Structures are given as C-alpha cells and as structure tokens.
Amino acid sequence: GVAFSGLAIIFLIDYPALRCPFIYDDLAVIAFNPQIRFGTLLEALYFNPFRSLVYFSFWLQLQIGGWLAEPIGFRIINIILHWLTGLVLIKLSKALKPGLNHFSWALAFLFWTNPVFLEAINLIVARSEILLTLFYFSGLYFHLKNSRRWLSSGLIILFFVLALFSKESAITFPLTILLLSLYQKKPLA
C-alpha cells in the first residue's frame, strides 16, 4: 500500500537520472578502479577498509554482472536501499512517539522525496550515506524497542558495526544511544 507508493515516488523522481553514466567520484571508485572492478574480494575491501561494506556491495554487483554492473543497476540498488531506510525511519519514529502514525508516514515521504537525500541515489558512491543511515536508524530502533534485552543488545551492536563499516561518522552512534537513553530516562541496552 503506502510503503510501495513511497517506492514508486522515488522511482518517478529519479527516473531521469537512472540512465546517466557514472559521474564524478563514481568514475574513480567504480568505473576505472581495477581493485573493485577486477580484483578479488580482499583487494576490494582493502581499497578503503573504513568503508569496506560499501566497497563489498560495489564489488558484489560487478561480480554478478549484467545490468547490475551498469550505472542503472547501481542506482536501482541505491533506490531500494533508500526506500528501506525510509521504512526503518517509520518504525523508528513510531518507537520514539507512539500513536503518531500519520506523522511517521509524512516524515518518511519527506525523507524519500527530499533532494538532499536523493543525491545519495544519483551519486553512486554516496551509497555510504544510505547504508550508514539505514544501519544507524536500525540500531536506534532496536535500542528503543528493547523487547528481549540480549537480542536487542546484539542487534544494536551488529547495526553499529555495519554502520561503522559503511561510513566513519557512525562513530557518533554510542553517543546518540546515550543521549536517547537520557532523553527517555531508560537504562542503556
């Protein structure tokens, strides 16, 4: 229903950019980078160890080949990741402020359609931003959900590590958890 309409809106907004070639940093990082394009998995991960999850995703797409190895394939994957991040944002905002369903959906539509966030779809190497946000929001959601303490703690740590290997700015995650716990006056998971 509403979730798939969000995906449709993102595709409609980004449709003109889907056929664009690799641009800017995409050229150096993906198109003309032998470590990512032709190297082994270890060579791809070594290219930038701090963002190894992002480079693993690029390497994997190139290994699968076909249309996924073309700029359109990278952008479609970015669109799907952006959409999933919006869905996690809905869950996160409902966990923060229960009962505000319409607000959560409005927030997601703003996230899905805001040009600042959509730039991460079109500039393929900005997948680091999308993955960081996806895992950061997921970790925050499981901190707020806190249904089974040991499982939530494990998922929080997992999402923190995934965010950290997506982009270095995820180092702020523990501080965010601390501030969120103080705001809610709840014990740390």
Side-chain angles (χ1 to χ4, degrees):
V2 181
F4 287 106
S5 64
L7 183 60
I9 287 171
I10 298 168
F11 266 103
L12 284 172
I13 291 171
D14 272 311
Y15 181 75
L18 287 178
R19 299 241 182 255
C20 291
F22 289 114
I23 55 172
Y24 308 122
D25 291 346
D26 299 342
L27 294 168
V29 172
I30 301 169
F32 303 128
N33 184 341
Q35 287 174 295
I36 299 291
R37 219 154 179 64
F38 310 111
T40 65
L41 174 58
L42 288 176
E43 290 172 323
L45 297 179
Y46 184 74
F47 178 71
N48 186 341
F50 296 107
R51 296 186 183 182
S52 56
L53 187 61
V54 177
Y55 292 99
F56 169 72
S57 73
F58 295 153
W59 178 84
L60 184 61
Q61 273 189 254
L62 290 167
Q63 297 307 306
I64 294 170
W67 67 271
L68 277 174
E70 299 298 323
I72 190 171
F74 284 94
R75 289 192 178 94
I76 287 173
I77 297 297
N78 281 5
I79 285 172
I80 293 167
L81 290 170
H82 182 72
W83 174 65
L84 290 172
T85 304
L87 294 178
V88 172
L89 179 61
I90 292 167
K91 300 287 272 180
L92 177 60
S93 64
K94 285 180 179 181
L96 272 169
K97 295 289 183 188
L100 296 177
N101 286 344
H102 295 301
F103 172 77
S104 298
W105 284 101
L107 187 62
F109 274 96
L110 282 173
F111 176 78
W112 285 328
T113 58
N114 190 315
V116 172
F117 301 123
L118 293 173
E119 181 183 5
I121 293 170
N122 299 323
L123 183 60
I124 297 164
V125 295
R127 181 177 294 177
S128 59
E129 302 285 342
I130 300 171
L131 290 174
L132 163 72
T133 309
L134 175 64
F135 297 131
Y136 205 101
F137 285 176
S138 297
L140 292 176
Y141 169 73
F142 280 102
H143 170 70
L144 292 170
K145 186 176 177 196
N146 205 7
S147 57
R148 293 186 182 177
R149 195 163 185 81
W150 63 271
L151 180 61
S152 288
S153 295
L155 288 171
I156 291 165
I157 292 167
L158 173 67
F159 286 123
F160 171 56
V161 170
L162 291 172
L164 203 53
F165 283 109
S166 298
K167 191 160 185 186
E168 305 81 4
S169 55
I171 198 70
T172 62
F173 183 80
L175 179 61
T176 305
I177 292 287
L178 175 67
L179 292 173
L180 195 53
S181 294
L182 291 172
Y183 168 74
Q184 292 194 306
K185 297 179 174 103
K186 86 184 237 183
L188 294 172

